[in-house]
Amino acid sequence: MKIEEKKVVGLTYELKVSRDEDDIESAPFSVEIRDKEDPFYFLFGQSGLPEKFEELLAGKNEGEDFSFVLSAQEAYGDADDELIITLPTSQFSGERGFSPEMLDEGNFLPLMDENGYSMQAKILKNLGDQLILDFNHPLVGFDLHFDGKIIEVRPATEEEMQHGHVHGDHGAHD
């Protein structure tokens, strides 16, 4: 079956990232592996992934291998300084489910926006009474190198289309 709109797609892949800095590209290094024990499933056309990622998979068939690179601009773009925010440390108390070690610099805080959607912020600096948080995507500024295999393509159910995500063994459970 071919990857197109209204299809559920299952992939295994290795994601490597690299960065161009001062016209010197870093060697790609592995940041994620999704294997047969933990494949990645998404609803094609509604994945929330970079548009170019889906564009490069469109028309491929179950069983095909893929290999491509998304430039930083095709992926998550450049860092946005407006997404670096200072908040009072008191907002991250034990009563709200945060432990002191969660507030270490470099950690990612699991958060929710005002609509209840999951998000994360990286702690750039803990100033004691304030935290400097970066809400940019963790892969902002990186070129993304994907090497993988399409392990499943199937029609999405009506319920999956209505909800905008995969259900069942490889998706959300209702």
Side-chain angles (χ1 to χ4, degrees), residues 54-74:
E54 288 195 11
E55 184 181 307
L56 292 168
L57 289 174
K60 294 193 179 305
N61 292 295
E62 186 173 317
E64 276 190 63
D65 292 328
F66 61 90
S67 182
F68 53 80
V69 178
L70 300 182
S71 70
Q73 294 310 312
E74 294 169 325

Side-chain angles (χ1 to χ4, degrees), residues 71-147:
S71 70
Q73 294 310 312
E74 294 169 325
Y76 295 102
D78 295 320
D80 181 348
D81 291 342
E82 290 184 20
L83 295 177
I84 297 175
I85 298 169
T86 302
L87 293 173
T89 306
S90 60
Q91 288 190 4
F92 305 95
S93 64
E95 295 83 44
R96 293 187 175 182
F98 296 95
S99 61
E101 57 273 3
M102 290 174 76
L103 305 182
D104 291 343
E105 292 175 14
N107 283 350
F108 285 88
L109 290 176
L111 303 171
M112 283 195 185
D113 68 12
E114 60 275 0
N115 297 318
Y117 292 106
S118 295
M119 56 190 292
Q120 64 180 2
K122 182 178 182 179
I123 301 173
L124 297 179
K125 193 83 176 155
N126 185 335
L127 302 171
D129 61 339
Q130 294 183 323
L131 295 176
I132 300 175
L133 302 175
D134 183 353
F135 284 88
N136 283 289
H137 190 282
L139 296 176
V140 73
F142 286 99
D143 294 338
L144 309 182
H145 305 251
F146 287 94
D147 289 297

